[in-house]
Amino acid sequence: MRILATAVVASLALSLGACSDDDPRPADPTSAATTSPTVSPPPSQPTSSMADSRQGVTDFVSYYLRVLSHAHLTGDTDELGRLSDASCSACQSYISAIDELAEDGGTITGGTRTFDGAEVRYSGPGGESLLTINVKIGSGTRQATPASEKTRVAASRMRLTFGVKGSGTDRRISRIFQGDPT
């Protein structure tokens, strides 16, 4: 779990750039982020992310990743915490890492993030749906504090699966893990 958290914390500015094979593909996102507290509000949750459907699950994970990026850029983890189930250890690790980095005045800059191969295992309302994506993360840098040296973060590829529970405005990320569901 620590390896996954370290790999993903190094690329906190993720945003979902692909949907299931049935869905149109949005433009690939790019990112060059710096952590600095600001007062900008988190992105608005799209109504489509609350739908009890495969597309609703996909849109929710996309929204979660935009909020994760916002939290990384601003240090504001309130909305990220609302969207993350308390039992999701990866989610709680992201929140803690963002809070710590923001408190220390640290920064992360990153390259292009691209996503493809999204697969949704929709369980229906009340169950846990799973969304699996391939993620390619460009190289970047991490600086723990303003006084510390910047460390280069190498480009990487990974396959991540997001567990999604609940429905409507009560939907939460229940787990994040590397690889395909078994």
Side-chain angles (χ1 to χ4, degrees):
M1 183 51 131
R2 181 177 281 297
I3 292 171
L4 173 61
T6 301
V8 179
V9 165
S11 60
L12 289 172
L14 290 173
S15 61
L16 186 61
C19 300
S20 69
D21 293 336
D22 300 335
D23 305 320
R25 181 182 164 92
D28 289 337
T30 60
S31 170
T34 302
T35 302
S36 60
T38 68
V39 293
S40 67
S44 297
Q45 185 169 2
T47 304
S48 62
S49 71
M50 297 178 229
D52 290 325
S53 66
R54 292 171 44 96
Q55 186 62 49
V57 169
T58 300
D59 290 350
F60 181 77
V61 172
S62 178
Y63 175 63
Y64 180 85
L65 293 172
R66 285 193 309 275
V67 169
L68 179 64
S69 179
H70 169 80
H72 171 257
L73 292 171
T74 66
D76 175 7
T77 58
D78 291 346
E79 181 69 356
L80 187 61
R82 186 185 75 78
L83 300 174
S84 302
D85 193 83
S87 67
C88 176
S89 60
C91 302
Q92 300 310 314
S93 291
Y94 301 156
I95 292 167
S96 295
I98 293 167
D99 287 343
E100 184 177 316
L101 189 66
E103 288 170 12
D104 293 344
T107 62
I108 294 177
T109 60
T112 303
R113 276 75 171 168
T114 57
F115 305 85
D116 63 24
E119 299 172 12
V120 179
R121 294 184 183 183
Y122 180 64
S123 68
E128 182 184 50
S129 296
L130 300 174
L131 177 86
T132 304
I133 56 175
N134 298 313
V135 182
K136 180 180 176 185
I137 305 163
S139 62
T141 63
R142 182 177 193 282
Q143 187 172 14
T145 69
S148 65
E149 298 248 350
K150 286 187 178 180
T151 305
R152 183 167 169 74
V153 178
S156 63
R157 293 175 184 260
M158 65 182 80
R159 187 157 174 85
L160 295 176
T161 297
F162 294 81
V164 179
K165 285 188 177 178
S167 61
T169 59
D170 193 34
R171 188 165 271 164
R172 304 276 185 277
I173 296 294
S174 55
R175 59 185 167 139
I176 303 170
F177 59 90
Q178 201 164 12
D180 290 295
T182 55

